[in-house]
Every structure is written in C-alpha cells, then in structure tokens.
Amino acid sequence: MLFIAEDEATYPDGKIPNLEDDGKAYAEIVGRIQPLLPKGFEEEALGQLVTWSATKFGDDKRFDTWVDAVTAATDYARTGFTSGPDQRQRDQAPDTTERDKLGVALLSTGRTDDKQMQLRDKSRRWANCGLAAYQIREQLSAKGGDLVGRPAETFRAGDGDKLRQALLATPASAETVLLLDCQFPQVHNFIIEVRHDGTRYLAQGYQGAYFAHWWLGLDDSYAGDASADILALRDRYGRGRPISPQDYASLVDSLVTAISSTWPQVAEQWRTLPFNPDRQEVDGIKGRSGSPTFVVEAFEVRKPAAARAALGDGDGSLSALATRGLSAD
C-alpha cells in the first residue's frame, strides 16, 4: 500500500487507492504529479507508484510528499530490480520458484532472462489500462500532435442520454482528431479515437491479460492462451481497424445501460464488451460495491498530421502508431 502524508485531506490517512483499478483516482493523481515525473523515465516511475498502490503485502510505502514518492519510485525503477516482490500481478504471493529466480537475478546483474519475469515487468508499463491510455496520449503530444484536453465529465444513473452524446462526439474539423479517454472508474480505462467522418478506433491494455500492443495486433504478448471470445472481440474492435457503426452502436448501448445497472448486471454485460470477458474478471465485477459510473475526458489532437509524420506516416489509427512508436522493453 502507498501512503502520502500531504494527501491526508483527499484520502483518509493519506492512503492512495489501488491505481490499477480506480481509474478516477489514477487520472486525478497523474494530472497532479505529471510535472514531477523524470523526463525519459516517466513510465517506469509512474508504473512503480501504481505497483506500490496495488500491493497489499509486504512493507507499506509511506512518504511525506509526492516529490519524495516520485524520487523513491524513480530510484527503485532505475536499479533494474523491476521483477522483485512489488512487481507481482495483483495480489498473488510469490512461490518458492519465483523467489529463487529473483535471488539469482539480484545476485547477478539485477535482471533476469526468465521470460515470465520479463513479461511481468513489461506488463507494469503497458498492460495497466491507465498507463496504456496515458502513454498513447503522451506519445502523440511529444510527436507534435498538440493535444488540448477538456474537463472530464462523470456520468451516473440517469445520465444515459448525456453519456451517449459524449461517446458519439466527433472532432470540430476534418483536420483534427478526437481522443476520448474513457474510464469505467472501478474497472477499466480505454481510448476511443474519433475521426471527423465518424470513423472510430479502440486502443487499450488490460492488466494481467494483454498489452496495448497485443490488442492492436502488433505482437503476440497475450498472457496465457487467448480465448475464442477475446480473439473475436479483438477482430471486431481492435487490431487498429475501424469499428463498424453497428459494433460501436452496440458498445455505446451497453455502456449507457451499465451506468444505471447493478454490478451483477454489469458483470453479465461484461462478457460481450470488448475488454476482457474472462470468467474470473466477471466474477470480480459482480462483487464490487457502490454504483457504476463512467468518466469521459476528451482530448482534441489539433495537429494529427504532424504526429503521424513524426511516427512514420503510417496508415491506420494514431493510437496504433503511438503504441508502435513506444518501446515495450
């Protein structure tokens, strides 16, 4: 767990929520600490903070300020010991074999050639849904896309028409592109890229399941064996391809219904949504507390042509180009 003393007024006792699961807290905190993140090492430092917030075993991480926390996370990540105990998927305790592998790694170079441990390290920076969305936006901004954000909107029960309007928004002109950073706060974070003609693309990673690269069809880095359901959903909504109008209408209808549903009802819908229809994930959603909400934060890419040229001037979505342009190693 992660505690920041200066945030006691915002979070009880300064305890930071699990940033892997709480997209609203993730967006709020990243917005505040982004200027503190070290240039060229933003993803690694942020990934370590996310890891500490999600870890429920071992020593608590306590800092007086976010400056102290970012400094510690940066130092920790730079040591190269990114496959250590804090890097386990979710709350899974290490077995004896994993401890032995870690010991060998630390006694040698601080890294390991073990493929599973490398995959776990890569996951912390790319399979976390919030980090994947963040990195896509940052890459497009860094490549001259000139992103301008609008205030985030939160939609609750009774806001279905407003949510539908937000999800059906299009760019102001044919020369711009709209990124809808969508957060199902307690569950998932993804990006919808919208062209002026209504063409839409879905980009995302999913913690413990797949990287943004896999979803876009750029590599085969799925964790385990991909089910027929997720492969079919990727073919319909992913691979950097435009989403058909019929499929997008179905997605919008489901999300609008979800904010006025109970979590067990959302869990039933989750099997058909293009995120992660895994049985364990569905069971976890059933047991969530509170009421489902949905957050949309829109970013206008004012110079998409400049970003596209800087990323290699390839065809397809800007999200796919941005993901391809960032190293996952």
Side-chain angles (χ1 to χ4, degrees):
M1 290 181 283
L2 177 62
F3 294 82
I4 308 294
E6 70 175 350
D7 247 350
E8 289 180 350
T10 304
Y11 302 106
D13 298 323
K15 180 185 176 183
I16 304 304
N18 182 343
L19 299 180
E20 286 185 350
D21 296 330
D22 193 330
K24 183 177 181 180
Y26 176 89
E28 187 273 328
I29 288 172
V30 170
R32 283 196 288 125
I33 70 171
Q34 185 173 346
L36 305 176
L37 298 172
K39 297 298 182 185
F41 227 75
E42 295 94 337
E43 292 84 11
E44 289 83 352
L46 186 55
Q48 191 57 55
L49 292 170
V50 170
T51 296
W52 285 340
S53 75
T55 300
K56 295 182 179 178
F57 41 80
D59 295 332
D60 294 339
K61 305 298 181 184
R62 296 178 180 272
F63 304 96
D64 291 334
T65 67
W66 276 110
V67 172
D68 296 333
V70 170
T71 300
T74 303
D75 290 344
Y76 190 93
R78 278 176 172 157
T79 64
F81 300 156
T82 49
S83 55
D86 283 330
Q87 293 291 338
R88 288 188 291 277
Q89 291 287 356
R90 298 189 184 265
D91 300 325
Q92 181 180 356
D95 57 23
T96 302
T97 302
E98 188 175 14
R99 287 196 188 97
D100 290 345
K101 290 175 180 177
L102 177 60
V104 171
L106 297 182
L107 288 172
S108 56
T109 63
R111 292 192 178 273
T112 176
D113 291 332
D114 180 81
K115 297 302 181 183
Q116 291 302 314
M117 297 183 82
Q118 289 180 351
L119 187 67
R120 193 155 46 244
D121 179 29
K122 180 179 177 182
S123 172
R124 298 313 265 178
R125 287 179 284 148
W126 270 109
N128 176 278
C129 57
L131 287 174
Y134 168 78
Q135 290 193 93
I136 288 170
R137 297 198 319 265
E138 287 300 293
Q139 179 74 340
L140 291 175
S141 180
K143 297 301 182 181
D146 190 17
L147 271 65
V148 178
R150 305 174 189 170
E153 296 182 83
T154 300
F155 303 92
R156 300 178 174 84
D159 293 335
D161 290 342
K162 293 180 181 178
L163 175 57
R164 185 182 301 277
Q165 184 178 1
L167 293 174
L168 294 177
T170 55
S173 73
E175 287 72 38
T176 61
V177 169
L178 192 64
L179 297 182
L180 302 178
D181 191 324
C182 300
Q183 302 163 34
F184 217 148
Q186 306 94 320
V187 186
H188 187 42
N189 194 166
F190 57 95
I191 280 183
I192 298 291
E193 177 182 331
V194 190
R195 304 283 179 83
H196 188 258
D197 62 2
T199 302
R200 289 173 169 84
Y201 305 85
L202 172 60
Q204 62 184 347
Y206 206 103
Q207 182 70 29
Y210 54 82
F211 308 120
H213 303 73
W214 180 86
W215 177 256
L216 293 171
L218 302 178
D219 66 20
D220 60 356
S221 56
Y222 193 89
D225 296 323
S227 68
D229 289 340
I230 190 61
L231 288 172
L233 288 168
R234 184 177 67 161
D235 283 342
R236 288 170 58 194
Y237 291 92
R239 293 189 175 278
R241 300 168 180 166
I243 306 171
S244 74
Q246 296 82 5
D247 281 336
Y248 193 70
S250 176
L251 174 60
V252 171
D253 287 343
S254 295
L255 295 174
V256 166
T257 299
I259 62 172
S260 296
S261 304
T262 64
W263 280 116
Q265 291 170 329
V266 173
E268 289 303 312
Q269 296 175 19
W270 203 259
R271 302 175 191 275
T272 61
L273 291 173
F275 306 134
N276 181 16
D278 178 75
R279 180 186 296 273
Q280 184 176 357
E281 194 71 7
V282 170
D283 290 343
I285 291 171
K286 286 181 182 178
R288 291 182 178 272
S289 60
S291 300
T293 60
F294 200 91
V295 178
V296 178
E297 188 173 7
F299 293 85
E300 182 183 17
V301 185
R302 294 185 173 180
K303 298 180 180 179
R308 183 178 296 278
L311 289 165
D313 209 22
D315 295 329
S317 73
L318 286 173
S319 301
L321 287 175
T323 303
R324 184 184 293 117
L326 278 162
S327 171
D329 298 327

